[in-house]
Amino acid sequence: MSRHQRPRQTVLRPRRLAAPPLRFFLPISVLVTLLAFMVLRGMANNEVFHDEKVAVSVDKKTVPKSVLEGGPVVDARGDKQDKPVSYTVPDKTIVLTFDDGPSKDWTPKILDVLAQKHVKADFFVTGSMTTRNPDLIRRIVAGGHEIGVHTYTHPDLALHNNMRLDWELGETQLALAGVAGIHSSLFRPPYSSTADALDDWSWPVSKAVGKDGYLVAFIDKDTDDWKRPGVGAIVQAAMPKLAGQGEMILLHDAGGNRSQTLAALPLIIDKLRAQGYTFKTVGEALGAGSANTKVSGSTLWAGRVFVKSTAFSVWLMPFLVGLLAVVGVLVFARFALMLVLSLLHVRRTRRPGFAHGPPVTEPVSVIVPAYNEQECITNTLLSLAASDHPIEVIVVDDGSSDDTAAIVSELGLPMVRLIRQPNSGKPAALNTGVAAASHELIVMMDGDTVFEPATVRELVQPFGNPRIGAVAGNAKVGNRDTLIGAWQHIEYVMGFNLDRRMYDVLDCMPTIPGAVGAFRREALTQVGGMSDDTLAEDTDVTMALHRAGWKIVYAEDARAWTEAPGSMSQLWSQRYRWSYGTMQAMWKHRHAVLERGPGGRFGRIGLPFVALFMVVTPLLAPAIDIAMLYGCFFVDPYKSLGAWFAVLALQAFCAWWSFRLDREKPWYLITLPVQQVVYRVLMYMVLLQSWITALTGGRLRWQKLRRTGEVGLDVTTAEAARS
């Protein structure tokens, strides 16, 4: 639709639009950040990269015999890569180890028992549990216990490559650094047991972590407490086979109900102490000092940022999910309302004999503001010359620098008057046309729009009702044979015209399209004509008319064919202006919420609808696609895609219904899936940029879209395209 530039001498120098890469940077960054927070939250909840597959034991040909027959601690660090060393727990020494924690339910109780018994133990923690329970990690360290790394998400590393191994270790160390300011050189592989269980798949993992500086701690005794065999069985399983033999015992402080472990722990300690055993950490048992060392500098700060970000994501996601759920319910409710009210509108307006009042036959003034419309103005005026309703046409040339005015003059159409004025902007051009109009009924259209012969007649018939102050026509996309044109065609039919049927029934029409709208002169005069306070003068004047008490209706048979933007950059520019102008108009008329009568009705129904479904919902809509991607990669791809396609199916049904009501060919809807994704992202980016412009006080000028004049006069073809 045509827009006009403001006069250079009366406005501040506008802020130029950013180059495309910069324009996309912030919106894309927000989406990437959202996805990152979702992944962080999924990692903390052990949802992302979670893998419960366990490798089947294979041959042991590559595992050194000294490792298979040695103790539970394997050292393959540095020069020991080729000749790893095994260490046993000294006699009369017990190392208690707890895997999979910390757990907020069981770890504190286990720590209480250890404190009461004055026992130090080793806790092999996962990164996900560390980020979820940072206070427990700090308590473990403060209690003199030792922390070992048990990966971040607890996968069987024998089934993964070194990149995954490095990630699991690195993220866990990052979590430990952020939570407790420590680094651990002690590692226990998930699903591991005694050293003699190593095989050709699991041994490379031990060698790889040794190369990274880790001691690998396996076990001597597996109590199988995770199976919950009973307290007595757990205690018995913890007892050494040989009297006085040192052992490393495996217990669990997370991963399920650990009540039996908790009950067995003091019994194990008391029984072993009675046999003369002492309890030490791995480092103490080996005489090597603690495996935990303090970190500082960038490592410490990187860990803190990671932990804070993870904690924020865990806190944020429930609110975001709740917000999306609320918005989703509202969107579905809106779909239902649109379907019901559009059906009511059609039944009311298409029933035999329906009319808003007596037939309107009086002549009409058609105002055509034109700024550099040489490609389109001929088709526009010739379409008006074919009108079956008496009209005068006033073309207001708003300082065009091309041949627009000359073309209008050369056409020599008797019902056309040409007024030339310095470039003053579209609202000023429309006001000039209204002031020069001879008739009380005013039709406004754009200079790139083509009317059908019956358009003006259909557009003014509602004025048979004296309460009606304005009428919204049915804008159609003329250049719909390209992909981007087809997308806009879907949007116009589904998003605009179906909406207008709903708003007509609710009596809160938010916008009379600039391409095809009609007004009473009295109504325009009452609200002060077309205002240049916003970039959406059509929305602004519509809201003003509601507040002045006038009724506004939709005339579906008043069709106008307009040339839509032919490229994504032009579409961006147009929607940016519309979105920013709509936000300006909403802010300007915000006090309607508190008013009484028709203005209050619009303020309490129309404004919330516009705010929710034209501003808030599009900002959140891309989260649907982000959530779908997250679900496909990290949760359940079938359920995620199923939910996404269910939403798409509902949109497709609404689109089909709107096309049926408008008597349009439905084959354009084959592009709907891609259109929905592209438009969600586009409108999200546009609205985010509009919000930034509004919050920073930026100014946005009219921008002239490049026209081709491809929307022609062949109304027969237009009719055929609808049938």
Side-chain angles (χ1 to χ4, degrees), residues 456-473:
V456 174
R457 170 170 52 81
E458 294 290 346
L459 194 59
V460 299
Q461 292 311 304
F463 290 123
N465 182 344
R467 291 183 56 244
I468 294 177
V471 182

Side-chain angles (χ1 to χ4, degrees), residues 524-606:
L524 284 174
T525 302
Q526 185 176 348
V527 299
M530 307 300 288
S531 171
D532 62 357
D533 292 340
T534 74
L535 292 179
E537 79 290 330
D538 43 10
T539 300
D540 186 1
V541 74
T542 306
M543 294 181 177
L545 290 171
H546 278 296
R547 298 180 70 185
W550 290 98
K551 184 178 178 62
I552 302 171
V553 298
Y554 171 59
E556 64 170 319
D557 291 329
R559 289 176 289 271
W561 299 80
T562 187
E563 183 177 334
S567 68
M568 288 301 294
S569 62
Q570 291 188 14
L571 181 62
W572 173 289
S573 298
Q574 183 191 69
R575 300 314 159 89
Y576 182 22
R577 290 196 315 274
W578 287 5
S579 299
Y580 187 61
T582 299
M583 292 166 61
Q584 289 177 309
M586 289 170 56
W587 181 253
K588 177 179 177 179
H589 296 283
R590 64 192 182 278
H591 297 299
V593 175
L594 304 176
E595 294 174 356
R596 296 182 177 180
R601 177 183 177 84
F602 172 76
R604 288 182 288 276
I605 299 177

Side-chain angles (χ1 to χ4, degrees), residues 166-206:
D166 292 340
W167 182 87
E168 292 282 346
L169 298 178
E171 296 302 298
T172 306
Q173 295 287 12
L174 204 58
L176 290 174
V179 167
I182 64 169
H183 176 278
S184 177
S185 59
L186 196 59
F187 173 72
R188 174 173 289 166
Y191 305 106
S192 63
S193 58
T194 56
D196 61 5
L198 284 166
D199 57 28
D200 292 343
W201 280 22
S202 56
W203 172 239
V205 175
S206 296

Side-chain angles (χ1 to χ4, degrees), residues 365 367 392 394 396 417 419 421 427-440 442 444 521 524-525 529-530:
S365 297
I367 313 300
E392 67 165 353
I394 300 173
V396 182
R417 278 193 287 157
I419 299 176
Q421 68 177 31
L430 289 170
N431 288 332
T432 297
V434 171
S438 306
H439 307 301
E440 291 303 309
I442 309 293
M444 297 181 182
R521 182 195 295 271
L524 284 174
T525 302
M530 307 300 288

Side-chain angles (χ1 to χ4, degrees), residues 632-686:
C632 286
F633 282 104
F634 303 122
V635 187
D636 187 326
Y638 300 106
K639 290 183 179 179
S640 300
L641 286 173
W644 189 83
F645 278 110
V647 174
L648 181 63
L650 179 61
Q651 292 172 323
F653 177 76
C654 289
W656 170 82
W657 176 249
S658 60
F659 268 60
R660 185 173 183 273
L661 292 183
D662 261 26
R663 305 184 182 96
E664 292 282 358
K665 284 184 175 181
W667 71 267
Y668 289 99
L669 295 178
I670 62 174
T671 66
L672 181 67
V674 180
Q675 187 254 13
Q676 287 297 303
V677 174
V678 171
Y679 262 65
R680 272 199 291 268
V681 176
L682 174 70
M683 292 310 299
Y684 153 76
M685 292 183 174
V686 164

